[in-house]
Amino acid sequence: MNTIPPPYPPPTHGPQPGAQPAYWGPVVPAPAPVPAEPLEYHRLARTYGAYRWWKLLMVGLIALGLYVGLMLLVGIVFVFVALGNPELEASMDAVVMGTTNLDMSDPAVFILSMATLVVMLPVILLATRMMNVQKVGSLTSVTGRMRWGWLGQCMAVALAVLALSFGLSFALDAMAGHGIAPDFNAPDMWMMLILTLLLVPFQATAEEYVFRGYLMQLIGGWLRHPAFAILLPIPLFMAGHMYDIYGQLDVGFFALAAGWLAWRTGGLEAAIALHVVNNSVIFGLGAIGLVDVSATESDLPSLIASIITTSVFVLVIVKLANKRNIQRRSVPPVATPAPPVPGPWVQPGPWNAPPAH
């Protein structure tokens, strides 16, 4: 008697008449994706599969278009507000014409000047979201979000260092015979203090997201070494500040320190803290007449004092970051297998189907 079973019928796209119901063959899992390597802050854009060398350029162009549109809208609103008010019209003309002797103690000039910078924050975030080349949070830090506790500690350090710096400066001036007398009856004092608290944090944050966020990651996507991402945006940052040579060097050193901190700590928190506290203290002191916020000229002693102050802040932040083990690089995603895909369609014969796996 022939005991050799008949050959299996060939697979078909469906069951044959009178045959057993068809079943799906063994599950074949797709290979797991290879985890991305940890990257430093200036290289974060390359952690996304959608990255292309030209896409971040498009983000900048979109942001520029949005910025121009928003500025036109702000200008139109201010024109209607200023109609019939010669003082407001003069303030608007001074800001629009870009004169170097802006009176930053004038609330109208202050609001307009801050507005031209504050709007950079929403446009760069919106342009990044529209282009969908990376997550918006990656502009903030390697964790993809604002590390609020770390930001608070950085702001506390900045406040302490700057208070010490200005305190020593005023003490030296008093010893040299220069009068130090705050004017608590200064015109618009309370208005300027309120505007400082409301606008300066957003102004400083906007500049950090553009110059230490977007530009660093744009350059870092092309050039691996962090020196390029830190140094190349500095001339652009300096160009936006109309100071003499000492003031420009001060701005340049600040930009160097802020860029290095963004790379060293893996995010913008330290740079934002120093920028926000520094500008807020200056404009706050200006509101009570201790600082001339409209001055565009500086001197060598002031430059040296500013460099020392910024350097002390950097040293303290680095020590604190080491102590807290602040994350400096992105965390690669966990490798997970893709959803299982069915195998080929099999038409069984009279034998039992294999168990599912």
Side-chain angles (χ1 to χ4, degrees), residues 67 78 82 101 145 150 154 169 183 201 216 225 230 244 258 335 348:
Y67 179 81
F78 204 87
N101 56 345
R145 59 181 177 82
W150 175 235
C154 292
S169 176
D183 183 8
M216 279 188 67
H225 199 283
I230 294 171
D244 64 359

Side-chain angles (χ1 to χ4, degrees), residues 9-16 20-26 342-348:
T12 62
H13 292 289
Q16 299 299 316
Q20 295 181 7
Y23 65 90
W24 290 107
W345 185 271
V346 178
Q347 172 62 51

Side-chain angles (χ1 to χ4, degrees), residues 214-227:
Y214 167 70
L215 286 179
M216 279 188 67
Q217 294 188 9
L218 170 67
I219 298 168
W222 302 336
L223 304 171
R224 182 180 296 272
H225 199 283

Side-chain angles (χ1 to χ4, degrees), residues 311-330:
S311 300
V312 170
F313 174 80
V314 170
L315 292 174
V316 174
I317 288 298
V318 170
K319 184 175 181 180
L320 188 60
N322 291 337
K323 182 178 179 181
R324 287 200 54 190
N325 196 25
I326 294 297
Q327 184 177 328
R328 296 182 55 188
R329 294 177 177 85
S330 60

Side-chain angles (χ1 to χ4, degrees), residues 212 230-231 234-235 237-238 245-261 274 302-315:
R212 257 67 67 182
I230 294 171
L231 296 175
I234 292 178
F237 186 69
M238 294 172 65
I245 182 62
Y246 295 114
Q248 290 286 8
L249 290 175
D250 189 355
V251 170
F253 186 80
F254 172 88
L256 174 64
W260 190 85
L261 282 173
L274 179 59
S302 297
L303 172 62
I304 295 174
S306 179
I307 289 176
I308 293 174
T309 301
T310 303
S311 300
V312 170
F313 174 80
V314 170
L315 292 174

Side-chain angles (χ1 to χ4, degrees), residues 33 35 331-337:
V331 176
V334 178
T336 54

Side-chain angles (χ1 to χ4, degrees), residues 59 62-71 117-130 210:
V59 170
I62 293 172
L64 180 60
L66 293 172
Y67 179 81
V68 172
L70 275 177
M71 289 310 303
L117 300 172
V118 169
V119 296
M120 294 194 304
L121 180 58
V123 300
I124 196 63
L125 298 180
L126 182 58
T128 301
R129 181 67 184 88
M130 290 172 63
V210 172

